[in-house]
Amino acid sequence: MDEKPGDRASVCRGLMAPIGMEYSSKKGYQLIHECLQCGKVGKNKVAINTIQEDQLISFMKSVV
């Protein structure tokens, strides 16, 4: 987890659990996750031009 975008400076080192998803016209699809240890919530952009075995992008498009 980052303290500032890209720094990977968090000392918590807890596992991140997915808790949601959202779509932004600027950033595209984003996964929302929460640290199981400290409770910090973060977002990560999802790559859309990849082959994914779990078909995550198709699923996200169907529920958003």
Side-chain angles (χ1 to χ4, degrees):
M1 193 67 159
D2 300 341
E3 295 298 327
K4 295 179 184 174
D7 68 4
R8 303 297 189 255
S10 176
V11 296
C12 174
R13 304 280 190 233
L15 295 175
M16 304 301 292
I19 60 170
M21 62 186 158
E22 66 179 35
Y23 180 79
S24 163
S25 60
K26 291 184 178 183
K27 295 186 178 185
Y29 289 99
Q30 294 181 302
L31 293 178
I32 304 168
H33 47 28
E34 179 178 20
C35 179
L36 297 176
Q37 188 168 327
C38 71
K40 187 171 183 177
V41 174
K43 297 178 186 178
N44 286 97
K45 291 187 283 186
V46 176
I48 60 171
N49 296 327
T50 62
I51 298 171
Q52 297 180 352
E53 292 180 23
D54 60 6
Q55 300 298 318
L56 180 61
I57 297 298
S58 297
F59 171 73
M60 291 173 76
K61 286 180 179 177
S62 72
V63 297
V64 173

